[in-house]
Amino acid sequence: DNDLNLIYDASVKSFIQNALDLYTDCPSRERAGWLCDSYFTARTEYFLTGKTTVEQNFLENYTMFYNTGEYEEGMIPMCYPSDFNGQFIPQWSMWFIIELHEYIYERNGKLPFSKFEKTVSGLLKYYEKYENEDGLLEKLSNWNFVEWSKANQLTNGVNYPTNFLYSKVLDCVADFYNDNKTYYGIDGSNYSIKAKAIRKIAIEQSFDGKFFH
C-alpha cells in the first residue's frame, strides 16, 4: 500500500532524527528530551528495533538527577539534563513512572526497579502532599499542563484527566512493589486499592452518564 508505506517511511525518518543519542523533541526546533513525549518515542524504538538502547540512556539520566533545592522535594525535571531551572510539569513526572513500567514489564529493560526506587518514592511523597479530602490531586504546583488546547485552561483545582493519570501511576507502583516486596517491605496492593478509589470518585464527580466534564 503506497500510502501506508509513505506514512511508515516518514515515521521511521522522524524517529531517526529524534533518537540520535537521547529522545528529543523536534531537533530543528530544540534539542530537548521531554518526559511524556518519551513514552511514545520509547514504544516506537521497541517497535522498530526490538531494543531499548536509547530509552535506557534516557531513563538512566533521571537516576543521576540530584535536587539541590531548585525543585520541590521529590520532584524531577520535565526535561533532563537539558533543563535544570526549577520549572517542572507534575503530570510529566507521572508519565515517567508509566514509561518505566512499560520499560520493565513490556520491553524487558535491563535496568531494574531498584535503580529507580528512590526517584519513584520521592514522587509519591510529592503527590501525596496535594491530595484533597476526597483523595484526589488538587492544585498541583508549578506548570500544570495537560495539552496544547483549551483543556489546559482547566487545570486549576481538581483536574480529572490528571487524576485518572494518577490512578494509572498508582497501579504501576503497585506492580513495582509487589514484585520487590521482600526487598522493600512495602505491600503494593495498597496502591492498587488507592488507584481504584481515585478512579471511582473521579468518575462520580466528572461523568454525567454521557460526557466527562
Side-chain angles (χ1 to χ4, degrees):
D1 187 309
N2 290 333
D3 288 340
L4 289 179
N5 286 336
L6 190 65
I7 294 170
Y8 182 86
D9 290 342
S11 300
V12 171
K13 288 178 181 177
S14 180
F15 171 75
I16 290 171
Q17 293 167 12
N18 285 287
L20 182 64
D21 48 4
L22 294 175
Y23 298 143
T24 55
D25 179 28
C26 309
S28 60
R29 186 181 69 158
E30 58 184 312
R31 284 279 298 156
W34 295 80
L35 291 171
C36 185
D37 294 16
S38 65
Y39 170 83
F40 300 97
T41 316
R43 285 183 160 192
T44 306
E45 178 186 13
Y46 192 68
F47 174 79
L48 293 176
T49 71
K51 299 178 182 179
T52 59
T53 307
V54 184
E55 182 178 27
Q56 180 169 315
N57 292 339
F58 181 85
L59 291 173
E60 195 167 30
N61 269 343
Y62 282 90
T63 69
M64 302 176 189
F65 166 66
Y66 179 72
N67 187 0
T68 55
E70 293 90 347
Y71 293 82
E72 278 190 59
E73 187 176 355
M75 184 45 64
I76 57 177
M78 56 194 171
C79 189
Y80 186 76
S82 50
D83 193 19
F84 194 71
N85 62 4
Q87 189 178 42
F88 61 86
I89 301 175
Q91 289 86 351
W92 268 213
S93 68
M94 296 181 194
W95 283 105
F96 169 80
I97 294 175
I98 296 171
E99 180 184 342
L100 178 63
H101 187 272
E102 287 198 2
Y103 167 79
I104 292 174
Y105 290 101
E106 296 184 26
R107 296 189 279 277
N108 301 311
K110 294 178 182 178
L111 299 177
F113 172 64
S114 58
K115 187 98 172 170
F116 302 94
E117 196 279 335
K118 185 178 179 181
T119 304
V120 170
S121 61
L123 288 170
L124 290 173
K125 289 175 184 175
Y126 166 84
Y127 304 141
E128 287 169 4
K129 289 190 303 183
Y130 292 93
E131 291 176 359
N132 65 17
E133 63 274 13
D134 293 325
L136 301 181
L137 297 178
E138 183 173 3
K139 294 185 178 178
L140 289 172
S141 57
N142 222 276
W143 183 14
N144 264 284
F145 184 86
V146 177
E147 60 178 67
W148 291 114
S149 75
K150 188 175 180 180
N152 206 48
Q153 298 172 26
L154 308 175
T155 56
N156 188 29
V158 176
N159 177 264
Y160 293 105
T162 294
N163 278 283
F164 287 126
L165 192 66
Y166 184 39
S167 70
K168 173 66 175 176
V169 164
L170 295 175
D171 279 332
C172 293
V173 169
D175 287 340
F176 291 147
Y177 284 119
N178 278 334
D179 291 344
N180 297 273
K181 189 174 181 180
T182 304
Y183 189 76
Y184 295 106
I186 296 174
D187 187 354
S189 62
N190 292 330
Y191 289 105
S192 294
I193 294 168
K194 187 174 180 179
K196 290 176 183 176
I198 289 172
R199 277 195 294 274
K200 183 175 183 292
I201 196 159
I203 289 171
E204 288 173 354
Q205 292 184 9
S206 65
F207 189 57
D208 67 0
K210 215 170 183 184
F211 295 102
F212 285 94
H213 294 277

